[in-house]
Structure formats: C-alpha cells, structure tokens
C-alpha cells in the first residue's frame, strides 16, 4: 500500500487518501473559460467588490477526473443492501425494489414544485391520500399524517399530540412508561416533550412485566410507549391486557411501529390496543435509508387523537356533481401545527406507495411470513454455536450473545468485526441494552435460503475461530483498507477539519 495519494493499492482495490491530500495548487475542475467574462478576463472583474471573498475558501484544488475517481473509489469500499446481506437488527435493511426508484424519478413527481397550485398537483395529493389510506389499513388506526421526517420525529409529533389532548382535558399527567428494551429514541421523544420517563422492567421471558405496568400506572401517567414485537424480537403477547390497564387509568398506548416487518398483513396495532403509532417508511416499506436520511415517519392515530394531527392535511373532497378533487387543508383549531416544511419527504411517499401497491395485501402478508421464517431459520442454525437468551419462536429478528465466546475472551465486537472479513456488514451490537453482549440479527424477507446459509456458515466459522484461535479475532477485520479502528477516540476526539 502506498501513501494514498498516488491511487495505487492491491490489484483493483485502490487505496484512497483524503481529498485534501490530492489537492494541487492551481488545479481546477471547471470549464469556465476566460472568454465568458469581460475584457479583463476574470469573474472577479464582473462582480462588485462587496461580493468578493477576502480570503480564499479552504477547498481542495482538483480536476474533474480527480474528484470523480476519489468518490467512486470510496464508494467501492462501501457496503450496501445491493451488495449483500445486511443483517442490522431493528434497522430492517431489506432490498429496495428498483421500480420504487423509477416511480420516484418520474418527472411529474421529481420536478414538482412545492408551491405549485393545487390544481396542478392533484396526482401528488392523490398519491399522498392513497398512501395514508394504505397505512391506515396496515395499522388499524384510521387517521394519518405523513409529515414527520423520521421515526424519532414521528414519536416526537405523536407525544406532542397526546400532551395537547391531555391538556385540553384539563388533566395534569407528567410521566410516560417505557420498557427497558425500548429504542433510545423513545425516552428522548418523551423527555423533549417535558415528560418524565419511568422505566418498566422486562421479565425473565423477555416480555414486559405486566405487574410492573400495573404498579407504575397512575393518574399522573400520560402514556406507555411500547415496541411490539419488542427489540428482543419477541411478540408482547399480553399487549391487550397492558393496553387495558393503561386505558382504564386514562392513559394512551403508543406503539413504536418502526419495524412492521413482523406485523404487516397479519396483525393491526389498532386492534390490539394502540391509540397512536409511527411507521418508518424507510424500514418496513423499502425506501432506502442509512447515512442519515432521508426518512419518513408517518403517524397513525385513533379518532380521539385525530383533531391534533399536524396541518396541512390532505383531504379528498367530493363535489355535489360527484367529481372528486384533493386539497391541503390548513385550518384545524386543535392541531399541534406543522412539523415539517411543506408536506414531508415526498419522494419517500412515492417509493412506499409503489412498494405497497406492488405487493398488495397478500404480498405484504407474505413478506411478513418470510421475514419471520428467515429469522427463525437463523435462530435454529445458530443454536449451539451462540448463546440465544430467548430461544423460542421469534418474530422478524433474533438476538444472540457472546456468552459462549466470552469464556475465550472473544466479545461481540470481535465477532462483528470478524464478520467483515467474511464479507458481511455486522449486525446490530450491544442493543437492546437489557441483553449483555447482544448481537441482534434481522435478516429480512429479501434473503434467500442460500444467502441465509452462507451468513450462518460465516457466523459458525467465527464461533469455531473463537474456540481455536481467539487471539486472531482481536485483530479483525484484516481484509479491509483500515484495520480495527479506535472507535472510542474517533467518537470522543473527532477530527472533522482537514489538517
Ligand atoms: C429505527 C427505530 C426508531 C427510530 O427511527 P429513525 O427513523 O431512525 O428516527 C425508533 N424505534 C425503533 C424500534 C427503531 O427500530
């Protein structure tokens, strides 16, 4: 390997340094010729002095070829759902059908201006209205907003609605119950809304302890936030009883529906007691995610909460003559207001709508069945090689631990890093927090049996290495450009500016 500037590497695997290291003073990548400007032959001469920089920007100086090669080379170091199995638990990294992209790129959608008059945007409004109806059908909760830009944003919006309704009732409730297996965004959304988080412990069976819910419920509790299937991949079978306890006490049941891969087409949260839930289009409904966005976290609510939904809302209006048109209605006196510029991440809506429409209700149900089957297949294949804390039928994901490997000094992090050498993105690690050394695997429905077998074989081979040559695992990954990174220092002392 070389200094990273020349572009050499091993074979066709190119090494690549920082873009700043490629910079050569005076090199340019644009084609603006001096002839385009005035007689002085410089852009500066055509601009008022007040518009000119005093200090040149700290940008790398590169040719077009340099820039293209830099980024394309980096992209080849990346891992993606289009490269192979991406088993991150709780993230639902499923294959995203390419037809979704074709639809989102239709010029009539992609080039639509958010300020265009509604008479010109009827198709887009119609699509939003239909997607809302589809999500209502999946969730069993009839009223939907598409505005929130992520799951966490959906949670925040929904808790805001609960808070507003409780205030209108003239009640004072200060707490929200959250199980210890919850995703970290749950307590954050609750705390941002000014509520106190009360943690509810899981029982030995990995399910919420119903007695603990009963004990914690009181007139000061606004809601419970519950994930079902929970982050251990288990179905909270007492969900209806829990909902009853909360409802009897005047509270709301919030269902974290970020991962609907084990429910869609099979069970509707609205039927098992949820009053409100968010859905991650960028997980269950196959719109690409990762690297920070974009996302879409629609919220579905009961009729009681509907008046508090954000504005504007899409409305289907039937005129007296039977004709139909769509409107965005902004007046709703109890609404919590607008939570996102314009209408939300519209491109995500097109992708999710395409996916749901393509599959239909039968297809969604089949996807659920395959997602659950795949997770259980991996559980069965990995049994005996890894400790499985809750070794019974799971939903769309399965949690393993490093308990067996720990005896030889091999940790979850070692296993995860070694998987990279076998050509896989590691699963989610050390989450959920209530399981020590957790490795959380969500294969999703898009993996074939052959892919699952290859992935299981890799994990089994690593379990063998952990037994026979544990030291080697501390040095993995070995087949990457950079070996084991010091993640703590990288997080604590990030170097974000070029030297
Ligand atoms: C992913 C996830 C979230 C948060 O979704 P974002 O879109 O990342 O904000 C919340 N809850 C659960 C259970 C999740 O898996």
């Amino acid at each position: 390997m070389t200094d990273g500037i020349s572009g050499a590497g091993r074979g066709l695997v190119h090494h690549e340094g920082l873009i700043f290291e490629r910079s050569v003073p005076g090199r340019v990548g644009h084609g603006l010729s001096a002839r385009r400007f005035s007689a002085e032959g410089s852009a500066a001469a055509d601009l008022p002095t007040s518009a000119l920089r005093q200090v040149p920007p700290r940008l790398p100086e590169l040719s077009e070829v340099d820039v293209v090669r830099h980024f394309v080379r980096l992209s080849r170091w990346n891992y993606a759902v289009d490269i192979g199995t991406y088993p991150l638990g709780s993230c639902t990294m499923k294959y995203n059908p390419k037809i979704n992209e074709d639809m989102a790129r239709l010029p009539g959608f992609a080039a639509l201006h958010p300020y265009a008059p509604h008479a010109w945007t009827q198709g887009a409004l119609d699509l939003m209205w239909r997607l809302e109806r589809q999500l209502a059908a999946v969730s069993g909760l009839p009223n939907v907003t598409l505005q929130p830009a992520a799951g966490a944003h959906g949670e925040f919006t929904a808790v805001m609605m609960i808070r507003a309704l409780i205030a209108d009732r003239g009640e004072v409730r200060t707490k929200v119950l959250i199980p210890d297996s919850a995703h970290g965004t749950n307590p954050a959304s609750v705390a941002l809304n000014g509520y106190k988080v009360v943690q509810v412990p899981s029982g030995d069976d990995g399910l919420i302890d119903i007695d603990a819910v009963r004990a914690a419920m009181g007139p000061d509790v606004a809601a419970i936030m519950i994930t079902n299937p929970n982050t251990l991949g288990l179905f909270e079978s007492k969900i209806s009883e829990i909902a009853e306890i909360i409802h009897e006490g005047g509270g709301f049941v919030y269902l974290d529906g970020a991962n609907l891969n084990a429910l869609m087409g099979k069970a509707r949260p609205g039927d098992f007691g949820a009053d409100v839930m968010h859905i991650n289009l960028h997980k269950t409904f196959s719109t690409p995610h990762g690297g920070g966005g974009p996302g879409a976290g629609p919220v579905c609510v009961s009729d009681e909460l509907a008046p508090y939904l954000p504005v504007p809302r899409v409305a289907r209006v039937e005129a007296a003559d039977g004709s139909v048109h769509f409107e965005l209605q902004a007046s709703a006196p109890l609404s919590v207001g607008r939570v996102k510029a314009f209408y939300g991440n519209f491109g995500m809506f097109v992708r999710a709508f395409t996916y749901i429409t393509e599959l239909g209700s039968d297809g969604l149900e089949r996807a659920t069945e395959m997602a659950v089957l795949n997770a259980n297949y991996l559980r069965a294949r990995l049994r005996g090689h890894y400790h499985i804390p809750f070794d019974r039928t799971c939903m769309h994901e399965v949690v393993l631990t490093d308990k067996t490997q720990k005896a030889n000094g091999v940790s979850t992090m070692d296993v995860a890093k070694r998987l990279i050498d076998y050509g896989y993105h590691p699963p989610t690690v050390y989450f959920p927090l209530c399981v020590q050394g957790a490795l959380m695997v969500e294969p999703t429905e898009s993996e074939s049996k052959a892919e699952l077998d290859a992935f299981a074989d890799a994990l089994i081979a690593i379990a063998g290495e952990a037994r026979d040559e544990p030291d080697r695992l501390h040095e993995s990954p070995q087949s990457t450009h950079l070996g084991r990174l010091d993640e703590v220092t990288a997080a604590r002392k990030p170097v974000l500016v070029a030297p």
Side-chain angles (χ1 to χ4, degrees):
M1 226 169 257
T2 64
D3 58 9
I5 299 169
S6 67
R10 281 167 293 170
L12 293 178
V13 184
H14 297 93
H15 189 61
E16 186 63 29
L18 298 177
I19 196 164
F20 285 91
E21 293 168 342
R22 283 185 167 268
S23 180
V24 176
R27 188 172 280 178
V28 289
H30 62 73
L32 292 178
S33 80
R35 276 177 285 117
R36 303 236 186 123
F37 298 104
S38 58
E40 285 83 354
S42 126
D46 289 344
L47 292 169
T49 349
S50 62
L52 298 179
R53 283 176 181 277
Q54 300 312 306
V55 184
R58 260 168 46 97
L59 293 174
E61 297 177 72
L62 302 155
S63 71
E64 181 175 320
V65 185
D66 292 336
V67 174
V68 169
R69 287 195 177 151
H70 173 74
F71 287 108
V72 172
R73 284 175 177 177
L74 286 183
S75 77
R76 285 164 43 129
W77 296 13
N78 215 341
Y79 196 77
V81 282
D82 286 350
I83 292 177
T85 305
Y86 206 128
L88 270 184
S90 202
C91 291
T92 314
M93 302 300 284
K94 64 169 79 173
Y95 176 72
N96 306 301
K98 297 299 168 238
I99 186 159
N100 299 356
E101 296 304 315
D102 289 348
M103 295 305 108
R105 282 167 175 71
L106 286 175
F109 286 140
L112 200 56
H113 196 283
Y115 281 137
H118 294 166
W120 300 357
T121 62
Q122 286 293 300
L125 297 177
D126 190 351
L127 182 141
M128 287 170 68
W129 186 83
R130 284 170 195 258
L131 178 60
E132 287 186 5
R133 304 279 55 78
Q134 289 173 335
L135 298 178
V138 168
S139 65
L141 292 163
N143 313 284
V144 183
T145 175
L146 301 176
Q147 269 187 42
H153 193 196
E155 292 170 27
F156 176 75
T157 304
V159 177
M160 209 157 71
M161 294 168 64
I162 293 173
R163 192 181 67 183
L165 192 159
I166 288 175
D168 280 358
R169 278 190 194 157
E171 292 175 355
V172 178
R173 292 178 184 256
T174 53
K175 299 176 181 165
V176 172
L177 311 183
I178 300 185
D180 57 3
S181 57
H183 195 271
T185 50
N186 290 188
S189 305
V190 161
L192 271 174
N193 270 290
Y195 284 114
K196 189 166 169 284
V197 175
V198 178
Q199 187 167 305
V200 186
S202 306
D204 292 340
D205 56 358
L207 302 180
I208 298 174
D209 182 347
I210 192 157
D211 292 330
V213 173
R214 205 172 278 121
M217 188 56 202
D220 55 351
V221 171
I224 190 168
M225 261 181 122
I226 198 165
T227 308
N228 197 14
N230 67 24
T231 56
L232 298 165
L234 304 174
F235 191 81
E236 293 285 357
S237 49
K238 301 212 179 89
I239 181 79
S240 297
E241 268 176 85
I242 293 169
E244 225 165 86
I245 295 169
I246 302 296
H247 288 149
E248 270 170 18
F252 290 88
V253 175
Y254 184 104
L255 191 110
D256 180 331
N259 315 107
L260 276 184
N261 254 37
L263 291 190
M264 53 176 186
K266 286 286 182 194
R268 305 189 311 167
D271 296 341
F272 57 64
D275 302 295
V276 44
M277 70 183 293
H278 79 271
I279 291 174
N280 277 18
L281 298 186
H282 49 293
K283 289 180 181 168
T284 313
F285 297 107
S286 88
T287 50
H289 66 294
V299 173
C300 310
V301 303
S302 64
D303 288 337
E304 189 186 7
L305 280 160
Y308 298 89
L309 283 168
V311 283
R313 290 182 205 157
V314 191
R316 182 178 184 274
V317 183
E318 236 179 282
D321 64 1
S323 67
V324 168
H325 72 280
F326 295 87
E327 285 176 2
L328 277 171
Q329 297 179 340
S331 90
L334 299 180
S335 167
V336 295
R338 181 190 277 283
V339 298
K340 175 83 176 71
F342 300 114
Y343 321 116
N345 282 330
F346 181 77
M348 312 292 280
F349 307 158
V350 180
R351 291 171 176 89
F353 176 77
T354 306
Y355 181 72
I356 296 172
T357 307
E358 274 273 304
L359 286 187
S361 55
D362 290 353
L364 291 184
E365 188 175 359
R366 179 102 178 112
T368 297
E369 288 166 358
M370 295 309 294
V372 172
L373 180 64
N374 283 356
N376 280 287
Y377 181 71
L378 282 181
R379 184 175 58 87
R381 279 223 50 199
L382 297 171
R383 183 184 295 132
H385 303 281
Y386 290 87
H387 170 239
I388 303 177
F390 305 101
D391 191 7
R392 56 176 195 274
T393 306
C394 59
M395 297 283 109
H396 60 301
E397 53 201 3
V398 58
V399 176
L400 319 169
T401 85
D402 59 3
K403 196 173 172 186
T404 311
Q405 287 70 32
K406 262 283 151 82
N408 284 339
V410 171
S411 68
T412 281
M413 190 55 80
D414 294 325
V415 173
K417 296 295 182 192
R418 185 65 177 145
L419 258 180
I420 298 171
D421 286 333
Y422 281 83
Y424 291 100
H425 191 285
T428 294
V429 291
Y430 300 108
F431 178 81
L433 301 177
C434 55
V435 174
Q436 197 163 21
L439 272 150
M440 187 194 208
V441 180
E442 182 183 2
T444 82
E445 69 280 8
S446 25
E447 298 311 310
S448 66
K449 180 169 177 298
E451 293 283 0
L452 294 177
D453 278 329
F455 178 67
D457 289 344
L459 271 173
I460 292 168
I462 292 169
E465 291 175 343
R467 206 172 41 235
D468 304 334
E469 39 183 343
D471 286 347
R472 179 158 174 201
L473 294 195
H474 305 310
E475 280 142 38
S476 53
Q478 285 150 8
S479 58
T480 46
H481 289 270
L482 304 172
R484 180 88 59 113
L485 300 176
D486 180 350
E487 292 178 3
V488 175
T489 305
R492 292 285 154 81
K493 296 180 188 160
V495 181
L496 303 175
V497 189

